[in-house]
């Protein structure tokens, strides 16, 4: 697995990534913030077969999909609070259902403080907020509570 950074004068920077299996991906970050994700031919590593333009928001969403790690824990009055992103997958028992149906806070003690959707963010959703497959829930609570909430949402 190798990575390479190449300056593109007047354009921006290109980052190339070669996977363990020899596939090459590229991200071009333009000086104006635009980004392009490029996929290269396995037989001809210099031939880009597909280029996908990404807005800044789309690039951020993609990075969360690739690295959905939790946000650092916050220590408050002897209680460790964590904030974590929980995806609502297409197989989630709550995709298409209301937040109130989860009874999340009652069952786990964790709170859903926002929902991130491709079309925007929804802070402080109420019990009548309807989840959609592809949403990302921003949850706050104890480690145990957030883990329990993730189990409920993913159906695991």
């Amino acid at each position: 697995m190798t990575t390479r950074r190449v300056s593109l004068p007047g354009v921006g920077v290109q980052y190339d990534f070669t996977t363990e299996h020899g596939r090459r991906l590229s991200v071009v970050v333009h000086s104006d913030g635009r980004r392009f994700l490029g996929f290269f031919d396995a037989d001809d590593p210099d031939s880009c077969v597909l280029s996908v333009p990404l807005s800044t928001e789309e690039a951020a969403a993609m990075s969360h999909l690739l690295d959905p790690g939790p946000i650092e824990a916050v220590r408050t009055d002897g209680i460790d609070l964590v904030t974590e992103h929980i995806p609502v997958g297409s197989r989630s028992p709550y995709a298409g259902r209301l937040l109130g149906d989860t009874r999340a806070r009652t069952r786990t003690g964790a709170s859903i403080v926002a929902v991130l959707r491709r079309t925007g963010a929804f802070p402080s959703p109420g019990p009548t907020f309807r989840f959609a497959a592809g949403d990302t829930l921003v949850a706050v609570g104890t480690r145990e509570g957030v883990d329990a909430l993730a189990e409920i949402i993913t159906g695991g």
Side-chain angles (χ1 to χ4, degrees):
M1 184 169 58
T2 60
T3 57
R4 183 179 72 156
R5 180 184 190 278
V6 178
S7 288
L8 303 172
V11 175
V13 180
Q14 178 173 330
Y15 299 92
D16 292 322
F17 175 81
T18 305
T19 67
E20 292 176 4
H21 299 290
R23 297 300 309 256
R24 187 167 145 233
L25 305 171
S26 178
V27 176
V28 176
V29 180
H30 288 251
S31 302
D32 65 5
R34 291 178 300 139
R35 289 162 171 76
F36 288 84
L37 181 60
F39 300 89
F40 290 80
D41 186 331
D43 297 325
D44 181 3
D46 292 326
S47 176
C48 184
V49 261
L50 178 66
S51 176
V52 179
L54 298 171
S55 69
T56 302
E57 294 80 16
E58 291 166 336
M62 175 76 74
S63 71
H64 286 293
L65 291 173
L66 295 173
D67 183 16
I71 299 170
E72 299 266 337
V74 177
R75 185 129 180 106
T76 313
D77 296 330
I79 299 172
D80 284 328
L81 293 179
V82 296
T83 302
E84 192 161 318
H85 291 172
I86 302 170
V88 178
S90 60
R91 295 185 179 175
S92 169
Y94 292 97
R97 292 184 55 196
L98 301 177
L99 182 150
D101 293 343
T102 67
R103 297 184 25 248
R105 198 171 5 195
T106 302
R107 293 168 69 185
T108 68
S111 296
I112 298 169
V113 298
V115 177
L116 308 176
R117 189 172 281 167
R118 189 178 63 83
T119 57
F122 300 88
S124 302
T128 60
F129 183 89
R130 188 171 301 278
F131 296 133
D135 284 351
T136 299
L137 310 182
V138 180
V140 176
T142 63
R143 171 83 275 149
E144 296 78 20
V146 171
D147 286 347
L149 177 58
E151 287 288 316
I152 290 168
I153 296 299
T154 61

